[in-house]
Amino acid sequence: GLDLGEGLFKMTPKKLYSIYEMWCYIKIHKILIDMGYEVEEYGILQYRDSGMHLSLLQDSEAKMIYTSSRNKLELWYNKSYNLPTTNQRPDTVLHIRNVNGNDKRTYIFDAKYRVSIDNNGIVGPVEEDINVMHRYRDAIVSKISDDFKYKYETFGAYLMFPCNNEKQFQNHKFYKSTDEVNVGAFPMLPGSTKLIRKHLGKIVNQSSLEAKSERIILDEYDDYAKFNLENVMVVNVQDKKHLKAYLENNFYHTPMKR
């Protein structure tokens, strides 16, 4: 519990879209907790002389850090990227780091409190907001070293918008696009978070190789994409004689008892 001081009751008016952004961030936090991630650092709570304050303020950075046996997660609010061209500041950024390696993946979740209704009465996100997700995905890069070399580190960018019909939205092109180009949208309202919960479970449980194999191919020699449509089997071979026979005759055998 928090000891609420007199000053905390002086509430300032907030725009509805700002409240929606904060709610989406806190809801993603709750989903990660439900998945079993333990909070290592409560970066959204700040202590002042008058008590504890929630630090989700507009134009102010904040983050939560989570750990598990497999991953370390950072959930940022209003993270600012100072890039060579223009600065980018998405609402929510999820960093996934593998505890056993240097693997780092970034996913953008941006909240927009507005919808578009097509001629058939189907509710979806506004198209120009989806274009912003493309901008985030392609614009946010990281520096490899002290020289001017950059790499793409954003694997996906997703729009969160107020919609309560998740079943209907599964047929929308901006939901299907998340599997095709890793840019799309998810409904986010109280009671309507099943789709984003499912997607979060997918990306945090993926291996680095699985995640990289789903990225857009940058060129034909991409190391991860070249085997994307190939079936590969990794096996032990007893000796060079067996290996020669397997390669020449395209077969592999293992003892029946195994």
Side-chain angles (χ1 to χ4, degrees):
L2 302 179
D3 184 13
L4 299 179
E6 180 181 355
L8 291 180
F9 293 103
K10 297 178 181 178
M11 300 295 292
T12 56
K14 291 192 178 298
K15 300 292 186 181
L16 190 57
Y17 65 82
S18 295
I19 297 175
Y20 183 67
E21 291 174 5
M22 295 177 185
W23 177 82
C24 286
Y25 178 88
I26 295 173
K27 189 61 182 179
I28 292 178
H29 158 72
K30 179 64 166 57
I31 292 173
L32 295 176
I33 294 295
D34 291 342
M35 289 180 182
Y37 282 87
E38 296 183 0
V39 178
E40 182 178 293
E41 179 182 326
Y42 277 96
I44 64 173
L45 291 177
Q46 295 180 352
Y47 179 78
R48 301 176 190 167
D49 292 339
S50 57
M52 298 295 289
H53 288 253
L54 190 68
S55 61
L56 298 185
L57 305 175
Q58 194 169 12
D59 298 328
S60 178
E61 285 188 357
K63 72 174 177 178
M64 300 281 285
I65 299 178
Y66 313 80
T67 56
S68 72
S69 58
R70 182 175 180 177
N71 293 325
K72 184 171 185 177
L73 309 181
E74 293 179 1
L75 188 66
W76 286 83
Y77 179 78
N78 264 331
K79 182 172 176 59
S80 179
Y81 289 90
N82 298 317
L83 302 172
T85 51
T86 59
N87 293 346
Q88 305 291 335
R89 187 189 286 269
D91 296 331
T92 301
V93 176
L94 177 63
H95 288 312
I96 302 177
R97 298 177 184 270
N98 192 304
V99 295
N100 297 320
N102 296 322
D103 173 47
K104 177 184 176 183
R105 291 177 278 134
T106 298
Y107 296 89
I108 305 297
F109 295 85
D110 207 57
K112 298 294 183 187
Y113 195 75
R114 57 179 186 168
V115 298
S116 173
I117 303 176
D118 63 17
N119 295 332
N120 297 318
I122 305 299
V123 176
V126 178
E127 188 169 311
E128 65 183 73
D129 292 336
I130 293 293
N131 289 333
V132 174
M133 299 306 103
H134 279 284
R135 187 191 78 203
Y136 282 148
R137 202 267 310 272
D138 297 334
I140 295 177
V141 294
S142 63
K143 217 170 196 180
I144 297 177
S145 59
D146 292 334
D147 55 15
F148 293 99
K149 290 184 179 179
Y150 290 82
K151 67 175 181 177
Y152 288 104
E153 68 173 27
T154 306
F155 281 58
Y158 318 105
L159 183 72
M160 301 177 290
F161 74 105
C163 173
N164 60 5
N165 195 335
E166 293 186 279
K167 184 177 180 181
Q168 185 184 67
F169 188 69
Q170 290 183 74
N171 297 318
H172 199 284
K173 67 176 182 178
F174 288 142
Y175 176 72
K176 295 178 180 179
S177 64
T178 58
D179 289 331
E180 296 174 352
V181 294
N182 234 343
V183 172
F186 292 99
M188 278 289 278
L189 279 177
S192 300
T193 57
K194 292 180 181 178
L195 296 182
I196 196 168
R197 183 184 297 268
K198 177 182 176 182
H199 190 70
L200 278 168
K202 173 187 173 183
I203 62 178
V204 299
N205 290 314
Q206 275 184 324
S207 68
S208 173
L209 187 60
E210 288 172 329
K212 289 178 179 177
S213 69
E214 294 183 355
R215 298 183 78 184
I216 301 296
I217 300 175
L218 297 178
D219 57 61
E220 60 181 320
Y221 299 108
D222 186 279
D223 288 337
Y224 292 98
K226 69 169 67 173
F227 296 115
N228 198 23
L229 301 178
E230 298 287 341
N231 292 319
V232 178
M233 180 171 66
V234 180
V235 296
N236 289 317
V237 178
Q238 182 175 343
D239 51 39
K240 291 183 179 180
K241 178 181 177 182
H242 282 79
L243 175 61
K244 185 172 183 288
Y246 297 151
L247 294 177
E248 290 179 352
N249 298 284
N250 292 321
F251 82 100
Y252 178 76
H253 82 282
T254 188
M256 193 173 201
K257 64 182 180 180
R258 295 174 183 255

